[in-house]
Amino acid sequence: MGDAKRRQATLQALAEYQKATDFNFDDISKSVSNESDRGMIVILGSMTEDLLLKRIMENFVQLSNEQRKQLTRSGGVLSSWADRAMIARALGIIDDSDYGILEVMKAMRNACAHSRKQIGFETEQLRDALCLVLNDDSAAAVQESTHKEVARTAFILASSFIWGRIKGESTDFANARVQKILDNVVASLEQESSLRIPSEPPETGSHQDSKD
């Protein structure tokens, strides 16, 4: 019996640790810096699902742990990304535009979780899908940049945008916040590239003949 209780407490503690985050851009960037593109997309997708559930539950009456489990168990009304996005829309937590972004991000998450082929931001289809959730300036930065890090940062920022919207930020505020960060990242990467380009060695003239 003691072992069963310890097992349950251990797994519960692990679940709580996994969900603990403040959705801060710098912290998230560091936590996924060593992840592959697909790993990063799956992780941030899980965080999006968790935040949707948290905000939805804030709009419900107080429920017991067992009642919450019934809602989120397999087959429950809040068991999937699609279920949570739809309920969030019905409650007015997000609008139709946000719902469309969540649909694209869900498709990206599913592709990365289930694809039997190598997939990352070098994959045209995944990069094009990312651009669907970006404004024109951000999409252009992703398509034109030769730095893969720009696409990774753009996805983190797209996630940050939708997290802001789920938490109650206005669209204009969330857009301005993430665009400013992306502009800074692009400028920083471009500066790094310019510093790495070696300067051409000075031309050396021919040796003069020695004087008599």
Side-chain angles (χ1 to χ4, degrees):
M1 181 66 70
D3 287 344
K5 288 183 178 180
R6 185 165 58 252
R7 178 177 183 274
Q8 181 178 1
T10 298
L11 295 179
Q12 181 63 33
L14 179 61
E16 292 302 320
Y17 177 84
Q18 170 254 313
K19 293 178 181 179
T21 181
D22 59 2
F23 295 90
N24 175 272
F25 172 78
D26 290 332
D27 291 342
I28 296 301
S29 296
K30 291 176 183 177
S31 71
V32 298
S33 61
N34 293 324
E35 297 288 342
S36 65
D37 293 345
R38 70 191 303 172
M40 179 188 71
I41 290 170
V42 170
I43 290 169
L44 298 190
S46 176
M47 293 173 64
T48 301
E49 282 192 280
D50 288 345
L51 183 58
L52 278 169
L53 179 62
K54 179 178 183 295
R55 285 287 289 120
I56 289 169
M57 288 299 187
E58 289 172 356
N59 284 266
F60 287 177
V61 297
Q62 187 67 34
L63 300 173
S64 67
N65 287 337
E66 182 57 34
Q67 289 171 324
R68 291 168 65 96
K69 288 179 181 178
Q70 288 296 315
L71 290 174
T72 57
R73 65 177 172 78
S74 179
V77 296
L78 292 174
S79 61
S80 71
W81 181 311
D83 295 330
R84 296 175 190 185
M86 182 60 72
I87 296 298
R89 179 68 192 97
L91 291 171
I93 295 171
I94 58 173
D95 61 21
D96 286 338
S97 177
D98 302 324
Y99 183 82
I101 291 173
L102 286 168
E103 284 291 286
V104 174
M105 296 180 77
K106 173 169 68 73
M108 294 177 69
R109 189 280 308 269
N110 289 347
C112 289
H114 303 297
S115 176
R116 296 178 182 177
K117 297 180 179 180
Q118 173 62 35
I119 188 170
F121 286 120
E122 72 279 358
T123 306
E124 181 181 359
Q125 293 89 335
L126 188 67
R127 193 171 60 252
D128 287 348
L130 169 61
C131 289
L132 292 177
V133 303
L134 304 176
N135 61 31
D136 291 343
D137 290 339
S138 298
V142 168
Q143 295 289 22
E144 294 171 6
S145 177
T146 58
H147 297 281
K148 184 178 179 181
E149 196 62 32
V150 173
R152 287 176 62 89
T153 300
F155 183 79
I156 297 174
L157 290 174
S159 298
S160 179
F161 169 84
I162 202 65
W163 296 340
R165 291 289 295 132
I166 293 169
K167 290 189 288 185
E169 289 182 357
S170 71
T171 300
D172 288 343
F173 181 88
N175 261 325
R177 174 173 57 80
V178 300
Q179 185 62 50
K180 182 178 180 180
I181 298 173
L182 182 58
D183 288 345
N184 290 338
V185 170
V186 172
S188 176
L189 289 171
E190 289 176 347
Q191 183 178 21
E192 285 182 16
S193 292
S194 66
L195 291 175
R196 289 173 186 167
I197 297 174
S199 58
E200 294 183 4
E203 294 183 5
T204 56
S206 58
H207 294 292
Q208 292 182 348
D209 294 334
S210 61
K211 294 182 180 180
D212 293 334

